[in-house]
Amino acid sequence: MKKLQSMEQFEELKDNGKHIFMFSAQWCGDCRFIEPFMPEVEEKFKEFTFIYVDRDDFLDLCIKLDVFGIPSFVGYRDGQELGRLVSKDRKTQVEIEQFISSLA
């Protein structure tokens, strides 16, 4: 999974193509829980590019997008938000895959 490097990169990715931004942090236990199966999720949904957003590095972006719980996911296609799975709750692989399927 690619890691977001800058706000400029976020705007460029958000506006061009199909992306899922995964908001996470190194200290987040629920974020560590989903790490083992995320490569499988990425493989199932190759039409999206997955971008890791470190919540601590991009707190202003989290505030702008109302992402206050992690892990959270926000999907975009060509500048339009397709949907979001945003909460502080632990997510299962099934929940994440159902969310991504709903974006199609």
Side-chain angles (χ1 to χ4, degrees):
M1 185 177 304
K2 296 179 183 178
K3 186 173 180 183
L4 187 66
Q5 301 297 320
S6 68
M7 281 299 294
E8 294 78 15
Q9 182 189 30
F10 170 77
E11 293 296 334
E12 174 68 25
L13 293 171
K14 173 180 74 84
D15 291 342
N16 297 286
K18 292 174 77 171
H19 295 86
I20 293 182
F21 295 90
M22 182 183 89
F23 293 83
S24 187
Q26 289 301 315
W27 50 263
C28 168
D30 290 339
C31 302
R32 300 293 69 78
F33 173 79
I34 68 172
E35 274 183 357
F37 60 75
M38 281 309 297
E40 186 179 332
V41 172
E42 287 183 78
E43 185 67 25
K44 284 184 182 177
F45 297 97
K46 290 183 178 186
E47 68 270 26
F48 287 97
T49 301
F50 288 76
I51 309 295
Y52 177 94
V53 181
D54 189 304
R55 173 220 172 264
D56 295 334
D57 292 340
F58 292 97
L59 192 54
D60 288 344
L61 177 59
C62 291
I63 292 167
K64 178 181 173 182
L65 297 179
D66 293 323
V67 174
F68 294 109
I70 53 174
S72 288
F73 299 83
V74 181
Y76 283 93
R77 180 182 60 227
D78 298 329
Q80 180 180 357
E81 183 177 315
L82 298 174
R84 52 181 48 225
L85 180 60
V86 175
S87 71
K88 63 178 176 50
D89 300 327
R90 176 174 283 188
K91 280 106 180 135
T92 65
Q93 183 171 353
V94 170
E95 288 173 315
I96 294 167
E97 290 178 358
Q98 286 175 340
F99 161 70
I100 297 169
S101 292
S102 76
L103 301 180

